[in-house]
Amino acid sequence: QVQLVESGGGLVQPGGSLRLSCAASGSIFKIYVMGWYRQAPGKQREVVAVISTDDRLNYADSVKGRFTISRDTAKNTVYLQMNSLKSEDTAVYYCNAMIATRIGVAPYDSWGQGTQVTVSS
């Protein structure tokens, strides 16, 4: 069993900053990739940022230059630093990880429960 737990969401004014964190725990052999997704009301879930085990980074065009994803491998934790926040960043942010529970088995997607980010004056 693998669990992902997000934290750090909240209410912030436009132009402000938030830092999200997500810690994976349970039966983990290897984490191949971790990332952040978000879903606003009435919209589909979309990718925000992804980081590989080799530190390759990918960002959605809408957050480039404003958000930074990072990870702490020893802690099985991924972070999302969000700066210059805009109202359109308002969404539930979900942590995602591709995890293998033991050697010789294919990894699978795990999801956190989400943390609310609201950007409003």
Side-chain angles (χ1 to χ4, degrees):
Q1 184 179 3
V2 175
Q3 301 86 36
L4 300 178
V5 180
E6 304 100 333
S7 63
L11 175 65
V12 64
Q13 294 183 340
S17 298
L18 284 174
R19 188 176 190 238
L20 307 182
S21 64
C22 171
S25 62
S27 300
I28 300 172
F29 173 72
K30 185 177 179 64
I31 300 177
Y32 291 89
V33 63
M34 300 187 80
W36 290 94
Y37 292 69
R38 67 187 181 187
Q39 187 167 21
K43 297 183 178 180
Q44 293 184 323
R45 188 174 299 186
E46 63 178 354
V47 63
V48 176
V50 176
I51 184 168
S52 74
T53 55
D54 199 28
D55 293 328
R56 297 189 302 275
L57 308 176
N58 288 282
Y59 296 96
D61 289 340
S62 59
V63 307
K64 286 181 179 178
R66 300 188 298 119
F67 291 10
T68 303
I69 189 170
S70 61
R71 63 177 173 85
D72 186 331
T73 302
K75 297 181 179 179
N76 291 327
T77 300
V78 64
Y79 306 93
L80 185 68
Q81 178 67 47
M82 304 184 293
N83 298 326
S84 301
L85 283 162
K86 306 174 181 179
S87 60
E88 52 262 44
D89 295 318
T90 296
V92 177
Y93 284 70
Y94 297 91
C95 178
N96 170 259
M98 185 70 71
I99 300 174
T101 57
R102 65 181 182 91
I103 190 170
V105 301
Y108 64 92
D109 276 328
S110 296
W111 292 90
Q113 295 299 306
T115 184
Q116 177 70 49
V117 172
T118 302
V119 184
S120 177
S121 60

